[in-house]
Amino acid sequence: AAAERAAAREAELERQESERLQMERLMAEQRRREAEAETERKLAEQQEQQRLEQERIEAEEARKAEQLRLEYERIERERVANERIAARQREEESKRERERLAAAERAAAARRAELVRQEKERLQMERL
């Protein structure tokens, strides 16, 4: 009877040890799954951060491109306006030059007329 009890006791200890080992395996598997899930969560978080950073960079690049486009348009408008002003100034200068030449021609014609008049007057005086 004592041998039976000792054998039963040994069988119980083996069963308990087997249960303990099975529990340890289950716990280790659970820790492995949790660690794997944590790694996947961190990876997904990192990928999301990278995606957000990429979106931020792209938005910044788009903003800079828009600023450059607007600056180019402003410079182009300014260039066109300056060309118009320069053309207007050249036109005004040309008009002033034409007016100056016309005035000089009128003055020369008036001087010639005066000289002709004086010459006629001199000739008339000589005849008398």
Side-chain angles (χ1 to χ4, degrees), residues 46-74:
Q46 184 181 21
Q47 288 171 341
E48 178 65 9
Q49 288 299 318
Q50 288 172 343
R51 185 188 65 76
L52 291 173
E53 180 64 12
Q54 184 63 33
E55 282 181 6
R56 186 194 66 73
I57 289 169
E58 288 170 3
E60 181 67 14
E61 287 173 352
R63 185 187 65 77
K64 286 179 181 176
E66 179 66 7
Q67 281 181 332
L68 285 174
R69 185 188 66 76
L70 292 173
E71 180 68 9
Y72 171 79
E73 286 178 359
R74 183 192 64 76

Side-chain angles (χ1 to χ4, degrees), residues 3-17:
E4 280 180 20
R5 282 194 303 273
R9 176 80 178 134
E10 192 172 317
E12 178 63 19
L13 288 174
E14 283 179 14
R15 187 190 63 74
Q16 288 176 359
E17 180 63 11

Side-chain angles (χ1 to χ4, degrees), residues 10-48:
E10 192 172 317
E12 178 63 19
L13 288 174
E14 283 179 14
R15 187 190 63 74
Q16 288 176 359
E17 180 63 11
S18 177
E19 282 181 5
R20 187 186 67 72
L21 290 173
Q22 178 65 19
M23 185 59 74
E24 280 184 17
R25 282 193 295 274
L26 289 173
M27 295 294 283
E29 179 63 19
Q30 179 67 25
R31 285 190 301 273
R32 187 193 64 76
R33 284 190 193 130
E34 287 173 358
E36 197 174 271
E38 179 66 11
T39 300
E40 287 178 14
R41 185 192 65 75
K42 285 181 179 177
L43 179 61
E45 187 177 291
Q46 184 181 21
Q47 288 171 341
E48 178 65 9

